[in-house]
Amino acid sequence: MGAPPDTDVLRIENVPVGTASPAGGMVTIWTINRPDKLNSLNAEVNAAIKAACAWAESDDDVRVIVFTGASPNEPPEGKRAKPNSFVAGADISEFEGMSSVQIRPIFDDNVWEHIWNLSKPTIAMVDGFALGGGSEIALSCDLRVATPRSKFGTPEINLGLIPGGGGTQRLCRLLGYGRAMEMVMSGDNIDGTEAHRIGLVNHLVEPDELRDKAMALAENLASKSPHTIRVAKAAVRAALEQPFSAGILAERDLFCALFDTADMEIGVQAFLNRDTAEWTGA
Ligand code: COA
């Protein structure tokens, strides 16, 4: 509970959902706000995201979390505008002079795991560069909506690095070994259209439709039972963590346990009575 930790580097906008059930639900939109540095992730942003994740997990009214990047500022007279960016990676200036001993604690408790471990649905709303740690934020979300002009990539190889926020593993799981290997080894970017074609992006929309599309997805998820949707997320995640036969058993356990919930009774009765389910969240 408590107030959302809105900061300069992470703007938090809470949008009430008309169809939320139980009522009172909201979609929380988090805008990473360092457009002059293409919204790259410095220590301040990382701390803000972690605090926001803790808040979102504890506040029952939060149903869906949407991540996005701030639009570019107006350029000063005579200067070129910065490009559109979701997140152009970790802030590379913070890597300068770092040893493995210094970097280790940052990656032991990293921001991507905080996002990944959210039990509520997450959506990345991408318009522009989603590179390195930025692509890893998108990959740590459950769904991705992007514009054709977006650019996804893992360019760490060009810095003498590899992805460190789970990118190698999540790309393999989402796209398969061959495509993941090419992206990680080449460091080349792909645009939003190609990302959509290969399944990295769920929905491809023009920039002026991006927010409406992301909000439509979020509102649909917010209209489900908050308990059941957490169980659905956990069940699909089991496919990543476990061998097939163990995953089948995990799904069966989760499915059967739902028969003891109020919301399963409510959902079944609503169907039988041609009524709208008013979820309790239990
Ligand atoms: N970390 C820190 N600063 C970054 C950054 C990052 N990951 N990505 C961009 N910036 C900064 C630039 O240094 C520049 O700052 P300045 O205007 O104060 O000099 C500003 O953002 C704009 O970037 P710029 O490189 O001038 O824009 P561009 O349109 O020429 O190129 C990119 C855009 C995305 C191709 C280029 O910025 C880039 O390659 N960024 C790094 C991407 C990366 O390797 N990410 C993985 C990090 S692990």
Side-chain angles (χ1 to χ4, degrees):
M1 285 290 178
D6 184 76
T7 64
D8 274 353
V9 295
L10 186 71
R11 309 305 320 193
I12 295 186
E13 178 192 356
N14 295 321
V15 181
V17 180
T19 58
S21 177
M26 62 197 183
V27 175
T28 183
I29 304 174
W30 299 354
T31 303
I32 298 165
N33 185 36
R34 296 180 74 218
D36 287 345
K37 297 292 179 187
L38 309 195
N39 302 320
S40 55
L41 303 169
N42 64 4
E44 199 183 350
V45 176
N46 290 340
I49 294 175
K50 288 183 198 175
C53 287
W55 164 73
E57 202 58 33
S58 68
D59 190 322
D60 287 345
D61 283 345
V62 172
R63 300 295 164 78
V64 181
I65 301 120
V66 176
F67 285 84
T68 196
S71 301
N73 290 321
E74 274 298 311
E77 186 81 21
K79 299 274 186 192
R80 78 180 166 108
K82 307 271 180 192
N84 277 57
S85 188
F86 173 68
V87 171
D91 187 325
I92 298 167
S93 67
E94 291 188 348
F95 288 174
E96 200 179 4
M98 280 271 216
S99 70
S100 64
V101 172
Q102 291 164 312
I103 199 77
R104 183 82 205 198
I106 300 171
F107 278 73
D108 277 347
D109 179 35
N110 71 63
V111 70
W112 303 279
E113 288 304 310
H114 282 252
I115 297 168
W116 180 255
N117 289 330
L118 284 164
S119 65
K120 303 179 182 187
T122 50
I123 299 173
M125 182 166 82
V126 178
D127 183 24
F129 288 112
L131 303 180
S135 69
E136 288 169 311
I137 290 200
L139 288 166
S140 297
C141 290
D142 300 320
L143 305 178
R144 286 149 291 281
V145 191
T147 59
R149 68 185 179 186
S150 296
K151 297 260 189 281
F152 292 83
T154 50
E156 291 91 338
I157 196 89
N158 300 321
L159 301 168
L161 284 170
I162 63 168
T168 59
Q169 305 305 298
R170 292 193 180 103
L171 275 173
C172 265
R173 300 293 205 283
L174 188 61
L175 301 182
Y177 171 85
R179 287 200 166 104
M181 191 64 94
E182 184 172 354
M183 285 186 77
V184 170
M185 292 205 306
S186 72
D188 290 344
N189 297 339
I190 57 172
D191 65 22
T193 305
E194 176 66 359
H196 182 241
R197 192 185 70 79
I198 66 176
L200 176 49
V201 160
N202 296 75
H203 297 277
L204 187 70
V205 289
E206 293 302 326
D208 60 352
E209 298 162 5
L210 183 62
R211 184 177 159 119
D212 284 353
K213 182 65 190 180
M215 285 307 289
L217 286 169
E219 291 195 22
N220 181 36
L221 300 180
S223 73
K224 314 297 181 193
S225 157
H227 175 70
T228 316
I229 209 155
R230 282 178 199 232
V231 174
K233 179 166 173 168
V236 176
R237 284 283 177 85
L240 301 180
E241 301 284 354
Q242 310 195 28
F244 184 79
S245 53
I248 293 287
L249 289 177
E251 180 192 282
R252 189 175 308 163
D253 289 346
L254 291 167
F255 172 82
C256 291
L258 287 172
F259 280 70
D260 293 336
T261 63
D263 280 350
M264 181 269 189
E265 182 66 22
I266 287 166
V268 169
Q269 288 303 322
F271 173 79
L272 295 175
N273 297 321
R274 298 184 180 276
D275 208 353
T276 304
E278 302 282 348
W279 308 118
T280 65

